[in-house]
Amino acid sequence: MAAQFINCRQCIGGKLISSPLTINAEGLIIPNNPLPPNTTTIDLKNAIISPGFIELQINGALGFHFAHTKPPSDYSAGVSKLAHYLPSTGVTGFFPTVPTVSSSVFKQVLPFLAPREEEGAASVLGAHVEGPFLAPSKKGAHDASNMFIPSAASLEDVYGEESLKESIRVCTLAPELPGALEHIKKLREYGVSVSMGHSAANFGQGVEGIKAGANLITHTFNAMNPLHHREPGLPGLLSSPSPPYFSLIADSIHLHPNIVSLAYRSSPTHCILITDSIELSGLPDGIYPGHAQIPHQQLKTGNKVTILNTDTLIGTCIGLDECIRNLMAWAGIGVEEAVMCVTENVAEAVGLRDRAKLEVGRRGDFVVLSESGEVKYGRRRRGDIIGAEFGDRVQYDIRLRR
């Protein structure tokens, strides 16, 4: 049964537009007139509707990490559990991210990360492979022993041809490495979006990466040469007349709030917020065991995870909804502007044509937000509303839950 959500304000192009939102029985947005027979009407009481958030880079949550091999049934269950958790943070689609691992691990896990749908869960949109073609000098927490110079290893040898065709949708690499530009061109032939990161590239090498087909920068400012007034490096690309899309971790751990605001204001239509969160996201604070990538005990305190008894940062556990609220506060913008960085901008960057905008013909995935960016309710296509009820309305095949 179709549903029309009335008395609401939609986030469209960075503005709040007062208009009903109508979704048909197949879960697609349709015109508000004429209505299909027996359409259910739901009053949102002047709430704000955003498209469902898209998470471009996430390593794991709830104790599950996409790079940790498990028996096939356990790995698949871990992906499913995480996909069901993410809508609580407003996320209705995500790119599971695999950092630098051995070729055998890439080939083992990538088949499970191909695009897929599951009722009541965020959509798996395909894998984001962050490595292994990265600069060892900017490796961060990545394992340098598994890194490759692009000219020394083909994409097919590292990932497998089938995964390049079926699973991988985004790849982060360092454009200055020998053979990197050829890899960028080949990745684009496979339909993979290419992001530049974990890189010691100078500005000119970044320009060459863009000419070859890269159109993104991964967690800007982190794991790359800093912005310098004579050699701006990859961050200098943000102010270009036609800038690449660029992602930011707005957690006040990886970046100072003023840097986040500075980057956002350089090009609001190209800014993307990511969490880059690790497997301890969604778990209580405390001490957790290490693993193959981090062979030390881990201390989780709020969003920050460090190696126990040190100040060494392992990663963050922030949710994408909190990143939005941080950007709102730091850049002094409204929720309707901030959500572009997790919806429309992401769709444009990676070529999503079926979601992330509230327009006729797209999927009816949406999130209901407060003025301050708190997630109140969320709807996944084909009938789930996640959150509290709107008055007594519980209908049209909708399941309501906390």
Side-chain angles (χ1 to χ4, degrees):
M1 184 182 298
Q4 184 172 75
F5 298 85
I6 63 170
N7 194 16
C8 59
R9 294 169 289 162
Q10 299 182 41
C11 296
I12 299 176
K15 301 183 184 300
L16 286 177
I17 307 298
S18 295
S19 174
L21 178 69
T22 307
I23 298 172
N24 68 13
E26 287 69 47
L28 299 177
I29 299 173
I30 61 174
N32 291 320
N33 292 292
L35 293 176
N38 303 315
T39 298
T40 297
T41 300
I42 298 177
D43 188 343
L44 293 188
K45 303 174 182 177
N46 203 38
I48 294 171
I49 290 183
S50 164
F53 304 161
I54 306 298
E55 170 68 275
L56 185 63
Q57 186 166 352
I58 177 173
N59 301 286
L62 305 177
F64 177 78
H65 196 296
F66 296 116
H68 298 168
T69 58
K70 295 177 180 289
S73 61
D74 291 346
Y75 192 94
S76 184
V79 176
S80 178
K81 182 179 180 181
L82 193 149
H84 279 85
Y85 159 75
L86 285 176
S88 67
T89 66
V91 174
T92 58
F94 67 105
F95 292 86
T97 304
V98 183
T100 300
V101 292
S102 67
S103 177
S104 63
V105 172
F106 273 125
K107 291 174 180 176
Q108 184 173 344
V109 303
L110 286 173
F112 295 96
L113 304 178
R116 78 185 202 197
E117 299 286 339
E118 191 171 340
E119 197 67 41
S123 303
V124 177
L125 298 176
H128 178 167
V129 287
E130 192 185 13
F133 304 109
L134 309 179
S137 65
K138 301 295 181 182
K139 65 183 181 65
H142 290 242
D143 185 352
S145 67
N146 284 320
M147 290 180 180
F148 284 98
I149 299 297
S151 60
S154 74
L155 297 169
E156 293 79 6
D157 286 344
V158 170
Y159 305 121
E161 185 175 3
E162 193 67 17
S163 289
L164 284 160
K165 292 178 178 178
E166 303 295 335
S167 297
I168 300 172
R169 293 294 180 268
V170 184
C171 177
T172 291
L173 54 68
E176 76 278 10
L177 298 177
L181 300 183
E182 288 72 22
H183 273 15
I184 292 173
K185 295 173 185 176
K186 189 68 175 290
L187 285 163
R188 296 301 300 132
E189 291 175 6
Y190 277 112
V192 176
S193 297
V194 181
S195 189
M196 299 181 290
H198 285 275
S199 165
N202 59 35
F203 180 82
Q205 290 167 327
V207 170
E208 290 304 310
I210 291 175
K211 289 180 179 178
N215 74 326
L216 284 149
I217 300 177
T218 294
H219 46 55
T220 309
F221 300 107
N222 296 121
M224 62 186 61
N225 290 339
L227 180 68
H228 187 275
H229 59 285
R230 292 194 181 94
E231 175 42 68
L234 292 181
L237 297 167
L238 272 58
S239 60
S240 301
S242 298
Y245 292 89
F246 55 93
S247 64
L248 303 169
I249 308 174
D251 61 355
S252 76
I253 299 169
H254 285 81
L255 296 173
H256 189 280
N258 279 34
I259 291 296
V260 173
S261 178
L262 177 74
Y264 168 79
R265 294 206 172 278
S266 72
S267 183
T269 60
H270 288 69
C271 179
I272 294 172
L273 298 180
I274 59 171
T275 66
D276 199 16
S277 62
I278 64 173
E279 78 280 3
L280 301 188
S281 182
L283 298 181
D285 287 358
I287 298 172
Y288 291 88
H291 47 76
Q293 190 180 13
I294 307 292
H296 307 281
Q297 286 186 299
Q298 306 177 82
L299 175 64
K300 180 181 183 295
T301 307
N303 290 330
K304 188 175 183 179
V305 180
T306 56
I307 294 175
L308 185 64
N309 297 322
T310 76
D311 293 324
T312 302
L313 178 66
I314 295 174
T316 188
C317 295
I318 195 168
L320 202 54
D321 56 333
E322 188 176 350
C323 290
I324 290 169
R325 294 192 293 274
N326 284 343
L327 179 63
M328 291 170 63
W330 300 344
I333 60 176
V335 65
E336 68 276 13
E337 297 170 279
V339 299
M340 287 186 64
C341 301
V342 295
T343 58
E344 298 181 33
N345 294 358
V346 188
E348 292 297 330
V350 297
L352 293 174
R353 300 287 178 247
D354 66 335
R355 68 189 74 214
K357 291 185 179 183
L358 298 175
E359 61 185 27
V360 171
R362 299 223 179 196
R363 293 168 57 108
D365 298 349
F366 69 75
V367 182
V368 180
L369 302 171
S370 69
E371 299 278 353
S372 60
E374 297 283 347
V375 174
K376 300 174 67 176
Y377 323 96
R379 181 188 185 281
R380 277 281 293 109
R381 185 183 179 187
R382 298 188 186 278
D384 281 350
I385 284 188
I386 300 166
E389 297 186 17
F390 296 104
D392 309 344
R393 302 312 294 260
V394 207
Q395 300 357 290
Y396 96 106
D397 246 354
I398 298 183
R399 288 177 289 125
L400 296 143
R401 62 180 183 270
R402 279 314 283 176

